[in-house]
Amino acid sequence: MLRAIRPETARDVEETAFTPIMRRLAATVPELLAAAFVDEEGECVDYCSRIGAFDAKIAGAQIHVLTTALVELATRFQGSPHAYHVVADAREILVRR
């Protein structure tokens, strides 16, 4: 059964040059709930979301913490990772640095 695609959530920040890129990604992947672009401190620079703006920003920050730890660990053994994919029962997370 196909689920209806959620519309984009109203933004609480001005659009940046990254907004159209993330919108194209969301149009290409209708299951996508949020795409966030964060800086080196995990602060949200821009996002495109079908969930609440706050939730999208917090998810981006939390994933940044996980990514930082993963990069630190992986670099010791295999070199710096550029992407990772986590698959769980209900959702998936794809991160690309």
Side-chain angles (χ1 to χ4, degrees):
M1 177 167 100
L2 293 174
R3 292 186 206 174
I5 298 172
R6 297 179 188 186
E8 183 179 345
T9 303
R11 298 176 60 81
D12 63 351
V13 295
E14 292 197 27
E15 294 186 11
T16 71
F18 299 108
T19 308
I21 297 166
M22 289 187 286
R23 280 198 178 120
R24 283 194 303 272
L25 175 64
T28 304
V29 184
E31 302 86 4
L32 181 125
L33 295 180
F37 182 73
V38 298
D39 64 16
E40 291 180 354
E41 296 177 349
E43 189 72 29
C44 187
V45 174
D46 198 2
Y47 67 94
C48 180
S49 178
R50 293 185 176 123
I51 58 176
F54 179 78
D55 293 331
K57 291 176 184 180
I58 293 298
Q62 290 295 319
I63 290 170
H64 179 273
V65 171
L66 176 63
T67 302
T68 300
L70 179 65
V71 167
E72 229 175 77
L73 181 63
T75 300
R76 292 183 196 168
F77 301 104
Q78 299 179 359
S80 183
H82 298 283
Y84 66 90
H85 186 193
V86 177
V87 179
D89 290 341
R91 303 257 187 260
E92 296 181 38
I93 298 170
L94 177 62
V95 177
R96 179 155 172 86
R97 334 185 288 125

